[in-house]
Every structure is written in structure tokens, then in C-alpha cells.
Amino acid sequence: MLMLDAKRVLTDIVNNKFLHMVSVVTIALSVFIVSSFSLFFNNATDFLDAWRKGVRVITYMSDNVTEPQRTELMETIRNLGGVAGIEFISKDDAYNDLKEKIGQQSSLLDGLDKNPLPDSFEITLADSYRRLEDIEKLSQNIGGLPHVEDVEYAQKWLYRFNGVYNLFKVTGLVLVSIFFIATLLIIANTIRLIMYTRREEIEIIRIIGADEKFIKYPLFFEAVVHGFLGGVAGILMLYLAFILTVPNFAPATVFSLFEIRFISVKFSLTIVLCSMMIGWVGCFFSIRKFLKI
Amino acid sequence: MVNGQGKNTIIRMFNVSKRYGKMEALSNLSLEVRKNEFIFVTGPSGAGKSTMIKLLYMGETASSGSILVDGMNLARISRKQIPMLRRKFGVVFQDFKLISTKTVFQNVALVLEVAGLKPKEIYPLVMDVLECVGIEDRSEEFPPVLSGGEKQRVAIARAMVGTPKIVLADEPTGSLDPDSAAQIFQLLRSVHERGATVIIATHDQQMINNHDGRVVRLVKGRMDCEN
Ligand SMILES: Nc1ncnc2c1ncn2[C@@H]1O[C@H](COP(=O)(O)OP(=O)(O)O)[C@@H](O)[C@H]1O
Ligand SMILES: [Mg+2]
């Protein structure tokens, strides 16, 4: 039975190449767009996470702070909400650190007669306290304390990036739903067209005693095959686009923190499965309208 | 048996009417058909011959009256049973109703596929009937390249292959030249000889005159005379 069905489906796909191709290509495009959004999100989320985990609020102190004042300041900061840890970095430590980091060129520093770096605190944040608004508020609070010269946490553009991320998240969800519905309608419509082009055949098959299953199964089979082919093609398209464009980003320093990943195998399989399921549902809807005796 | 349907009765129509909107295509038709009978249903165009054939295989449903086919009461059967009813029939049409994207072999084999037979069982049965109608050498052709007479032979092969109890033919020679028509008629005869009940709707008076068989004449949806 299954073999016969598969054969019937294949002959039909050959007979109606164009119809089937349009359906598969449209599904492939939808899958491509939806999965590129996912690709973007997975990576943007990873990126923001990586950055948030690494975020440290650096507090630079004014030059003439006495040790008791420093200890007091440290205690005050430690007691602020969201502060997980605080470490004192003396100007000398900072100087040696810098010297080590620039290595070969450390002779440049020899030209300075005095260490230009200030004393500082490096503050790490509690896990629950990594939203940008929180960080912003915290650094404002610290900035208002006595003996604090400057507070620094990260580049401003990251803040903007977060805004863009949220905007994309909303439009992404809307787009995904639109494409979901569009794909469903396209499959339903294709199946309806197939049934229309085959209405005489279906009529004949009925007269010779076919039951509904015999008529329905190949149609479901076709819709699910469309979903499968479209899903796989869409993901292959994305992969192609990925390997062609991503190497161009790689040297940028921002991305050195983490690696841009392609969507996972599991997620790709989920997308293909979803696309097959959409095929099934689309077929279900058009058949319900068409196949009442 | 239901409603006094005798052992030898395979079809019983009682007071059957069929209306299409206000138009009454059949009025109070009653008819009994015995097993292995050979019947002509005749009458002028529009008399209701095709309608009667359609009512039998449930291509249409009667507006009133009762129809019994081989023990099945058509008014009572569910949608799911309709395929089972249709497998009792082989039907031949004036316009052949072959599937043009399938080969001759596939067209005939479809009847058995639908009935759930395996390819291994299907092949010999199909080749056998194709031989019987004399078209076995064209089994891999597609219907559009065949002549009218050849197409109708394929249709008869399809109507025979499931060895149905009843073969219905609605103007089977209506679009054929006289020679082909005669051949088709002979084939329907041989189907009858193999044991099937055969009902032929035709307005071809000459065909009826030249052959034995009970004649049912319809005029404006009513039985005119029966002999
Ligand atoms: N589907 C239909 N809808 C409306 N009227 C129909 C339909 N089928 C047949 N008729 C009418 O019913 C009458 C009988 O038709 P039909 O059974 O085809 O006659 P015959 O086969 O004897 O020529 C005709 O008047 C025809 O116009
Ligand atoms: Mg007619």
C-alpha cells in the first residue's frame, strides 16, 4: 500500500512539475526567512549573554584618596544592590598589568616619569542584575559617591544594540507568524489546485470504488513531501548564505568574544518537522472543503 | 432477504423518483432485475436512462422510493459503505472516463488497487482481461493515443477486471463507428456469458432489434412498456 502510494505520488509530481515546484520553492523561501531570523537571534542572544556575564563596572578613584576613605568607599559599594564582588586594583597593579599586556612595546611606558593610572575597583554583578537599565542605575549611584572620579562599564553602542535586539525580537515573532500562516495557505492552495486539476481522476476513482483514504493519503503524502523538501531546501539556502557571508565578519573585534554559530542540527530538524506538519495541516484544510461527497 | 427480494433478484427498485430541483427526471419507477439478466434500458434523450444508471451505483441518490442492490438498501447505507457498493459494479460510459495520465494497464489495475489487492495479484488479472478485450499489446500506451473503439475496450476491461456482479453501460457505443460498436457489443455479451448481470442504457434502436434481451423503455422518466 505504501509502495503503491509512493509510486502514485511520484508519477503525480512528474506530471505536475510546475505546481509542485512553486509550492516547494515558496516553502523553502519561508523557511529560509524564518530560520535566518532564528540564526540572528540565537547569536544575538549568545552575544548579549556573553557580554553580560563578562560585564564589570570599573570605578576610578580620585588621586588623593586615603586608605580609610578607600575602605569605607569599598564597603559602601559592596552594600549596593546587585554588587556581587568588588576588587581593589591599585594604580601599581594596573600599571604592571598594562605593561604586561602591551609586551614588546612596554618601552613606551619608560618615557613616563610617573604612573598615570588611577586606583580603581573592579565590580562584578549579581546574575539577576545584568539588565542594562540596572547597570546604568548602579553606575550612576556609584558615580555620585565621594572620591569617585569616573565610572565605566561598556561601550554605549551595546546599549543601542540591546534596543535593536528587542525591536527585532518583536518584528521577528510577527514575521514568523506571518510566514507560518502564509506557508499554510500556500500548501492548502496547492493541494486544492492539485485536486482541481485531478477532479476528473478523483471522480473516476470514486466510481470504481475508492474509499476516502485511497484518495486522501496520496494528497497528504504530497503535502508532507512538499514540507520536507521545502524545509530542507530552505535550511540549505541558509547554510549557503551563512558560509558565504559570515567569514567576512570574523575579524571584527566585537565578535572575538564568541563564535557565530549556525542553527543547531536539532533546531534544523525541528524546522523541517514543523514544515512537514504545516504541509499536513494545510492539506487537511483543503481536503475538508473539497472531499465531501 | 429484505422486502421479499427473491433469491434470484439482484436489483429491486420500488417507486423510485429522482428530482433535480423541480425537474423530475424519474417518476415512480419500479423494476426488478434477476441475476445474470441482460437488459436494455432505452427511450429518447432526456428520458432518464443515465439517471437510472447513476442511482444504482449511487452517483446520485434517489429523492424517494427504495433501491436494493445485492442485499444492500441504498437508502440505509452510510457514506463509508458507498465504496463497497460501487465495487459490486463495473461501469462503462459513453465518454470512456479513462485517466489520461495513466497507461492502459494502470487504468485497469486501479480497480484492483482500490480494492486492496497486491501488485503481484494485480498483474495477471489485468493482463488477462486486456487479452480478453484484445488490447494487450497496447497496455503501456496512454489513452489519448487510442481510437474510440480501443478506449471503450479498455473501459470494458476495467469494468470486468474486478469480476463485478453487475456491469452497467451508459450509451457504450454512443460515440463509436458501427464496426467498433458491434465489437463492443460482443464484448458486453461475453461479460454476460461470464456470469455478470448486464444493464445497457442506449437509444440505439438497431442494436436492440438485433439482439436478445429484456427491454425497459423509459419516456419522460416513466416506464413506457416492458417485455
Ligand atoms: N445533474 C442534473 N441536474 C439537472 N438536471 C439533470 C441533471 N442530470 C439530468 N438532468 C435532467 O434529467 C433528465 C433526464 O436526464 P438523463 O437521465 O441524462 O436522460 P437520458 O440519459 O435518458 O438522456 C433530463 O431532462 C436532464 O436534463
Ligand atoms: Mg444519457
Side-chain angles (χ1 to χ4, degrees):
Chain A
M1 187 68 188
L2 200 67
M3 280 300 291
L4 278 176
D5 275 347
K7 224 176 113 193
R8 278 162 69 206
V9 168
L10 280 181
T11 2
D12 183 74
I13 287 179
V14 173
N15 289 339
N16 290 305
K17 282 183 225 71
F18 187 69
L19 200 58
H20 292 281
M21 227 176 63
V22 169
S23 168
V24 170
V25 168
T26 329
I27 297 167
L29 286 175
S30 297
V31 165
F32 174 73
I33 290 167
V34 168
S35 55
S36 26
F37 259 94
S38 318
L39 179 70
F40 174 81
F41 279 120
N42 291 349
N43 284 292
T45 311
D46 281 3
F47 177 59
L48 282 179
D49 275 357
W51 171 69
R52 280 175 186 154
K53 280 218 176 88
V55 82
R56 276 169 179 58
V57 176
I58 314 287
T59 305
Y60 298 105
M61 281 169 280
S62 34
D63 234 358
N64 47 1
V65 183
T66 62
E67 186 144 359
Q69 283 171 333
R70 199 182 71 211
T71 318
E72 194 193 331
L73 179 59
M74 199 163 169
E75 275 318 299
T76 317
I77 291 174
R78 201 193 296 280
N79 291 329
L80 288 173
V83 176
I86 180 164
E87 192 189 347
F88 173 66
I89 295 171
S90 72
K91 58 197 303 182
D92 296 335
D93 287 346
Y95 183 78
N96 290 334
D97 230 32
L98 182 66
K99 214 170 164 181
E100 213 169 278
K101 260 186 201 148
I102 56 177
Q104 296 285 311
Q105 277 88 39
S106 63
S107 56
L108 284 174
L109 297 175
D110 297 344
L112 301 166
D113 54 344
K114 163 174 169 268
N115 177 4
L117 300 173
D119 286 334
S120 63
F121 293 125
E122 200 178 285
I123 300 159
T124 50
L125 302 174
D127 277 344
S128 57
Y129 219 76
R130 290 206 169 114
R131 290 187 312 142
L132 273 154
E133 304 83 78
D134 298 334
I135 299 170
E136 179 87 335
K137 216 172 108 198
L138 183 70
S139 36
Q140 262 169 22
N141 286 345
I142 296 173
L145 295 172
H147 313 302
V148 172
E149 183 79 23
D150 197 7
V151 182
E152 208 174 71
Y153 58 94
Q155 298 93 326
K156 275 289 173 215
W157 71 267
L158 277 170
Y159 193 60
R160 261 182 257 127
F161 181 79
N162 197 58
V164 172
Y165 174 80
N166 285 330
L167 184 73
F168 266 77
K169 195 147 95 183
V170 174
T171 44
L173 273 175
V174 171
L175 272 178
V176 166
S177 344
I178 289 175
F179 277 105
F180 183 85
I181 293 167
T183 311
L184 201 69
L185 290 179
I186 287 159
I187 293 192
N189 203 47
T190 311
I191 296 297
R192 195 166 306 152
L193 273 174
I194 289 173
M195 285 193 287
Y196 188 74
T197 58
R198 276 197 251 154
R199 65 195 181 286
E200 280 192 1
E201 184 181 333
I202 291 176
E203 171 69 23
I204 291 167
I205 293 178
R206 280 224 171 96
I207 292 174
I208 64 177
D211 51 21
E212 295 297 292
K213 272 191 270 172
F214 192 87
I215 298 166
K216 271 192 232 165
Y217 281 179
L219 293 170
F220 275 112
F221 204 101
E222 274 173 34
V224 172
V225 167
H226 285 185
F228 175 76
L229 292 178
V232 169
I235 284 174
L236 284 179
M237 273 158 70
L238 182 68
Y239 188 67
L240 208 69
F242 180 79
I243 56 175
L244 288 179
T245 55
V246 164
N248 303 334
F249 287 125
T253 45
V254 207
F255 292 100
S256 59
L257 276 171
F258 82 118
E259 210 183 334
I260 303 187
R261 289 179 300 124
F262 191 64
I263 49 176
S264 68
V265 174
K266 207 165 138 193
F267 190 71
S268 310
L269 285 178
T270 312
I271 286 185
V272 173
L273 265 176
C274 278
S275 148
M276 288 164 79
M277 234 170 60
I278 292 177
W280 197 92
V281 174
C283 184
F284 178 80
F285 281 126
S286 56
I287 272 183
R288 239 183 21 165
K289 273 198 172 168
F290 193 90
L291 283 190
K292 42 186 183 200
I293 295 190
Chain B
M1 286 286 119
V2 205
N3 289 354
Q5 189 172 10
K7 257 206 165 144
N8 272 322
T9 306
I10 189 153
I11 295 171
R12 192 182 129 100
M13 299 176 89
F14 183 72
N15 266 344
V16 174
S17 298
K18 174 64 184 175
R19 283 179 291 278
Y20 294 110
K22 288 203 164 160
M23 155 84 210
E24 192 157 62
L26 282 181
S27 318
N28 290 322
L29 186 74
S30 295
L31 177 72
E32 223 167 280
V33 179
R34 289 185 306 279
K35 277 181 187 155
N36 198 222
E37 248 192 310
F38 194 92
I39 298 190
F40 291 106
V41 178
T42 182
S45 175
K49 304 180 292 293
S50 299
T51 301
M52 190 190 123
I53 299 275
K54 281 181 197 156
L55 290 183
L56 291 176
Y57 69 84
M58 277 193 96
E60 296 281 355
T61 43
S63 309
S64 65
S66 73
I67 304 174
L68 296 159
V69 175
D70 194 28
M72 280 175 116
N73 183 343
L74 304 205
R76 294 268 171 81
I77 66 176
S78 68
R79 259 178 58 162
K80 284 207 165 146
Q81 287 174 293
I82 293 178
M84 291 316 294
L85 170 79
R86 289 183 180 160
R87 288 175 206 171
K88 292 183 188 295
F89 294 104
V91 191
V92 179
F93 299 92
Q94 176 171 6
D95 60 354
F96 321 119
K97 293 209 194 296
L98 299 174
I99 297 168
S100 53
T101 53
K102 291 186 188 295
T103 63
V104 165
F105 181 91
Q106 289 166 342
N107 265 280
V108 176
L110 201 54
V111 175
L112 303 176
E113 271 176 44
V114 153
L117 269 70
K118 297 191 187 76
K120 246 194 230 164
E121 306 166 311
I122 291 175
Y123 183 82
L125 290 172
V126 172
M127 288 322 280
D128 193 46
V129 287
L130 287 180
E131 209 168 299
C132 179
V133 301
I135 202 136
E136 74 275 18
D137 53 333
R138 315 213 61 178
S139 65
E140 292 309 311
E141 308 262 20
F142 290 87
V145 306
L146 303 179
S147 72
E150 288 168 329
K151 283 182 203 166
Q152 199 61 303
R153 277 190 266 161
V154 177
I156 289 184
R158 184 179 62 188
M160 292 165 70
V161 74
T163 51
K165 291 190 173 172
I166 307 158
V167 170
L168 305 172
D170 190 359
E171 308 277 7
T173 57
S175 40
L176 301 181
D177 60 90
D179 278 354
S180 307
Q183 282 175 8
I184 292 303
F185 193 80
Q186 278 316 313
L187 285 174
L188 288 169
R189 273 283 180 218
S190 70
V191 171
H192 175 240
E193 276 155 24
R194 287 180 173 210
T197 308
V198 177
I199 300 177
I200 303 176
T202 179
H203 64 270
D204 182 349
Q205 197 57 46
Q206 206 175 345
M207 173 156 110
I208 297 167
N209 294 342
N210 293 346
H211 296 92
D212 303 335
R214 179 173 155 209
V215 178
V216 173
R217 190 174 161 78
L218 294 179
V219 175
K220 290 185 181 162
R222 289 171 194 279
M223 196 90 79
D224 194 45
C225 65
E226 201 183 330
N227 51 342

